[in-house]
Amino acid sequence: MKAIIKTQGRQFTVSEGDILIVNRYPETNSGDTVTIDTVLSLGEGQDASIGTPTVEGASVTAKVLENKRGEKVRIFKKKRRHGYERRRGHRQELSVIKIESIKG
């Protein structure tokens, strides 16, 4: 069974057993279970049900495999002939999750 979920401002098409990398869920550790209630569509083919905007009573359960930090993104700003240069970096906090069950 497939589902389209929305979590942290992004949409994903998932099925059971999929592994996703999403923004870190606050106050979770590896091994914790996360329930996602924002299911936009459920099923496929003739059995598909599309929510308006979400499917009532549907939920997706995921397990947090690990919390990590993403690759470093370097930001460099410069204005020519003004002596202005700025270097900054950013590493996004990420969670690796595995979809365990889709209910609906």
Side-chain angles (χ1 to χ4, degrees), residues 2-3 5 21 42-43 55 58 71 73 82 86 102:
K2 287 191 174 186
I5 61 170
I21 299 175
L42 190 64
V55 178
E71 294 290 320
V73 178
H82 291 285
R86 295 288 179 265
I102 299 173

Side-chain angles (χ1 to χ4, degrees), residues 14-22 65 95-99:
V14 298
S15 58
E16 291 184 14
D18 285 353
I19 296 176
L20 301 174
I21 299 175
V22 297
L65 298 179
S95 289
V96 180
I97 61 172
K98 181 177 182 179
I99 305 299

Side-chain angles (χ1 to χ4, degrees), residues 29-47:
N29 297 316
S30 58
D32 290 351
T33 302
V34 177
T35 303
I36 302 166
D37 296 327
T38 312
V39 179
L40 303 176
S41 175
L42 190 64
E44 54 187 325
Q46 298 293 341
D47 300 331

